[in-house]
């Protein structure tokens, strides 16, 4: 009994000593933990801080027609999804299919042609005075400007140094742009699950950073970049892209997809907003051009002589009143861009003067003028140029693309199916009112 009691007493004493020691250890550690503050940051913080200021805005300025008593500002911008399953989110535009639209008042008097910002995308400085972006961001530009800071705080004239429309890549030369270039990564070394950081200017929110992972590699995506005819109708080109779930929105096009080392690994180019046939909602599926695909274009730009930069023209007036005209009211329609190549580009007819030259020749609202006297017409400016120097009585041979059905010509509610009609002869007349062309 005494031995058993002794063992129990010794066990209790040993347990007490252990507890005292543990208590002493905890007590000794507590002040040290309070004295040392540990800050845990995300794996993206340092990378974003390193490259964020090297992401810029790319503004595309084009020649547009304005009318003193006709169509108002807004019109058909370039920012929405156009009802298609993918967005090439070139930029947020001015109006889109929403605000603005057609203004008040009738009549189409004193058309004024001037340069306006058509849309905005993003770009990344890859060398001093050189910016990498998407081709579709700068496509059709009359002039280009690089914006730095909020609300276009600083603007720099830019021009294309090299481009590849099929790859949807362009490199711009920007004299005076003194921002640190980013490092180019190796997109061939990427793995599914790697962290990904997208930085760009979605809907004007400059240098916005979003993060996610590489969702998939070598996605074969069809785009509409190769012209199949002289009027802009296009066939699909398949590009291999990086898929990411990092948030990408309108205006991100041409910006940067980075890894956590701050290296540029891709160019955000498009996002899916629905399935091709069902229209079901889709989230977090964005596609980026691998940086290795862009490197040949970058090398071409950096090895060539620096190009001359074209600055924009503030305004050019084109008043057709009292001059030979077709007798149509028109607007530029970049059909190949808006409809995935199903409709060509051209000067779109929204109205035809009764008993005017075009009406006599059989032209109708909804027709798209694509060629005059053998010259391709891709915009209202091209048409105006063909009318300069003409006289009343001159005959123009016109090619149009005519949709099968026209629900509303003014709202461009037309079918995608249609045919070209060639060699329509239109005899010019002098008209004093009604139409603008």
């Amino acid at each position: 009994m005494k031995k058993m009691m002794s063992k129990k007493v010794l066990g209790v004493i040993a347990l007490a000593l252990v507890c005292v020691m543990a208590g002493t250890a905890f007590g000794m550690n507590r002040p040290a933990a309070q004295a040392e503050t540990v800050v845990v940051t995300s794996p993206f913080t340092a990378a974003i801080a390193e490259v964020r200021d090297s992401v810029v805005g790319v503004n595309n300025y084009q020649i547009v027609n304005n009318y003193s008593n006709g169509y108002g500002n807004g019109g058909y911008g370039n920012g929405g999804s156009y009802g298609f399953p993918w967005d090439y989110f070139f930029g947020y535009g001015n109006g889109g299919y929403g605000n603005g639209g057609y203004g008040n008042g009738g009549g189409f008097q004193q058309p004024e042609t001037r340069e306006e910002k058509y849309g905005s995308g993003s770009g990344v400085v890859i060398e001093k005075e050189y910016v990498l972006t998407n081709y579709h961001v700068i496509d059709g530009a009359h002039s280009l400007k690089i914006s730095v800071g909020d609300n276009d705080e600083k603007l720099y004239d830019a021009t294309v140094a090299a481009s590849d429309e099929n790859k949807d890549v362009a490199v711009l030369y920007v004299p005076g742009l003194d921002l640190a270039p980013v490092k180019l990564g190796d997109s061939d070394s990427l793995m599914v699950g790697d962290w990904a950081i997208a930085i760009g200017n979605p809907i004007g929110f400059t240098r916005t950073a979003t993060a996610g992972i590489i969702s998939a590699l070598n996605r074969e995506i069809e785009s509409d970049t190769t012209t199949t005819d002289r009027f802009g109708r296009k066939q699909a080109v398949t590009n291999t892209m990086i898929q990411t779930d990092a948030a990408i929105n309108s205006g991100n096009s041409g910006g940067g997809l980075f890894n956590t080392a701050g290296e540029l690994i891709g160019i955000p180019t498009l996002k899916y907003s629905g399935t091709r046939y069902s229209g079901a909602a889709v989230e977090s599926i964005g596609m980026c051009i691998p940086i290795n695909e862009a490197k040949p274009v970058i090398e071409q730009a950096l090895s060539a002589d620096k190009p001359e930069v074209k600055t924009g023209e503030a305004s050019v007036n084109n008043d057709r009143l009292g001059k030979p005209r077709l007798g149509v009211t028109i607007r530029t329609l970049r059909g190949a861009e808006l409809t995935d190549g199903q409709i060509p580009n051209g000067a779109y007819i929204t109205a035809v003067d009764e008993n005017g030259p075009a009406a006599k020749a059989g032209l109708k609202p909804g027709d798209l003028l694509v060629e005059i006297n053998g010259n391709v017409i891709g915009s209202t400016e091209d048409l105006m140029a063909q009318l300069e120097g003409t006289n009343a009585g001159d005959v123009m041979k016109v090619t149009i693309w005519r949709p099968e059905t026209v629900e509303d010509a003014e709202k461009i509610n037309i079918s995608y199916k249609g045919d070209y009609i060639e060699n329509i002869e239109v005899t010019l007349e002098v008209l004093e009112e009604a139409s603008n062309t």
Side-chain angles (χ1 to χ4, degrees):
M1 288 291 292
K2 288 182 180 180
K3 288 183 179 180
M4 290 179 64
M5 288 292 291
S6 299
K7 288 181 179 180
K8 287 183 178 180
V9 170
L10 289 172
V12 171
I13 293 171
L15 179 61
L17 287 172
V18 170
C19 291
V20 169
M21 291 175 67
T24 303
F26 293 145
M28 290 174 64
N29 287 340
R30 198 171 290 120
Q34 291 174 351
E36 183 180 351
T37 302
V38 178
V39 178
V40 178
T41 60
S42 79
F44 316 116
T45 306
I48 292 172
E50 182 180 353
V51 302
R52 187 169 178 265
D53 290 340
S54 298
V55 177
V56 297
V58 179
N59 296 332
N60 181 319
Y61 292 82
Q62 298 192 13
I63 299 296
V64 297
N65 283 326
N66 289 305
Y67 306 89
S68 59
N69 293 310
Y71 298 111
N73 295 327
Y76 290 83
N78 202 16
S81 67
Y82 313 112
F84 298 106
W86 52 85
D87 294 338
Y88 273 86
F89 47 95
F90 158 64
Y92 50 90
N94 293 318
Y97 281 86
N99 299 328
Y102 292 88
N104 299 321
F108 304 96
Q109 300 175 3
Q110 297 180 342
E112 180 187 41
T113 302
R114 68 184 185 187
E115 186 182 69
E116 291 183 356
K117 181 158 59 171
Y118 182 67
S120 299
S122 304
V124 180
V125 179
I126 43 91
E127 191 69 42
K128 183 180 179 181
E129 298 185 325
Y130 285 89
V131 170
L132 178 66
T133 188
N134 281 134
Y135 181 88
H136 74 261
V137 169
I138 55 93
D139 188 21
H142 180 259
S143 68
L144 296 164
K145 291 186 184 296
I146 299 301
S147 64
V148 178
D150 298 331
N151 300 316
D152 292 345
E153 182 179 342
K154 293 183 180 179
L155 291 174
Y156 298 83
D157 291 317
T159 195
V160 179
S163 65
D164 188 325
E165 182 179 4
N166 288 345
K167 291 182 178 180
D168 199 13
V169 174
V171 177
L172 309 181
Y173 170 55
V174 193
L177 183 64
D178 189 19
L179 295 177
V182 302
K183 298 175 182 177
L184 303 186
D186 178 10
S187 52
D188 290 341
S189 66
L190 296 176
M191 298 179 65
V192 175
D194 285 348
W195 287 120
I197 307 166
I199 304 180
N201 295 351
I203 60 171
F205 293 117
T206 57
R207 301 184 300 280
T208 294
T210 58
I213 63 168
I214 302 297
S215 305
L217 297 169
N218 302 317
R219 290 293 196 203
E220 292 189 348
I221 305 299
E222 288 188 350
S223 61
D224 60 340
T225 56
T226 297
T227 303
T228 59
D229 61 32
R230 297 186 302 125
F231 312 122
R233 298 186 82 182
K234 300 179 179 181
Q235 67 181 7
V237 170
T238 300
N239 286 319
T240 301
M241 295 194 182
I242 301 166
Q243 181 182 333
T244 181
D245 67 347
I248 295 174
N249 297 287
S250 296
N252 269 108
S253 269
L257 186 73
F258 300 90
N259 59 22
T260 52
E263 296 173 331
L264 184 65
I265 56 174
I267 309 168
T269 299
L270 63 91
K271 70 173 179 180
Y272 279 76
S273 58
T275 61
R276 184 182 294 268
Y277 299 107
S278 70
V282 173
E283 296 292 340
S284 302
I285 297 181
M287 298 294 170
C288 304
I289 298 168
I291 192 60
N292 287 6
E293 290 294 313
K295 285 179 179 178
V297 183
I298 294 173
E299 292 172 3
Q300 178 186 347
L302 298 182
S303 62
D305 293 335
K306 294 180 178 180
E308 181 180 351
V309 176
K310 177 182 179 181
T311 58
E313 297 177 10
S315 64
V316 179
N317 289 321
N318 271 321
D319 187 354
R320 297 299 305 171
L321 295 178
K323 299 178 182 179
R325 289 187 287 165
L326 294 172
V328 294
T329 298
I330 58 171
R331 64 178 303 129
T332 295
L333 176 61
R334 301 196 179 281
E337 183 177 302
L338 295 176
T339 65
D340 195 27
Q342 298 178 72
I343 295 176
N345 300 321
Y348 178 80
I349 299 176
T350 61
V352 177
D353 293 347
E354 185 178 359
N355 297 320
K360 293 175 182 177
L363 300 187
K364 303 176 181 179
D367 289 344
L368 193 60
L369 292 165
V370 297
E371 185 179 59
I372 291 180
N373 293 340
N375 298 297
V376 173
I377 304 299
S379 65
T380 58
E381 292 72 40
D382 293 341
L383 177 54
M384 293 294 187
Q386 291 301 308
L387 290 173
E388 289 300 320
T390 58
N391 299 303
D394 288 350
V395 177
M396 286 189 159
K397 288 191 175 182
V398 174
T399 297
I400 64 169
W401 182 84
R402 175 169 289 171
E404 286 187 359
T405 58
V406 179
E407 297 293 334
D408 190 332
E410 288 194 352
K411 294 182 179 179
I412 318 185
N413 187 359
I414 60 178
S415 66
Y416 291 168
K417 293 183 179 180
D419 293 300
Y420 291 113
I421 304 176
E422 301 178 343
N423 296 319
I424 301 174
E425 294 189 352
V426 182
T427 303
L428 300 182
E429 298 177 15
V430 174
L431 304 175
E432 297 300 334
E433 54 186 30
S435 67
N436 61 55
T437 304

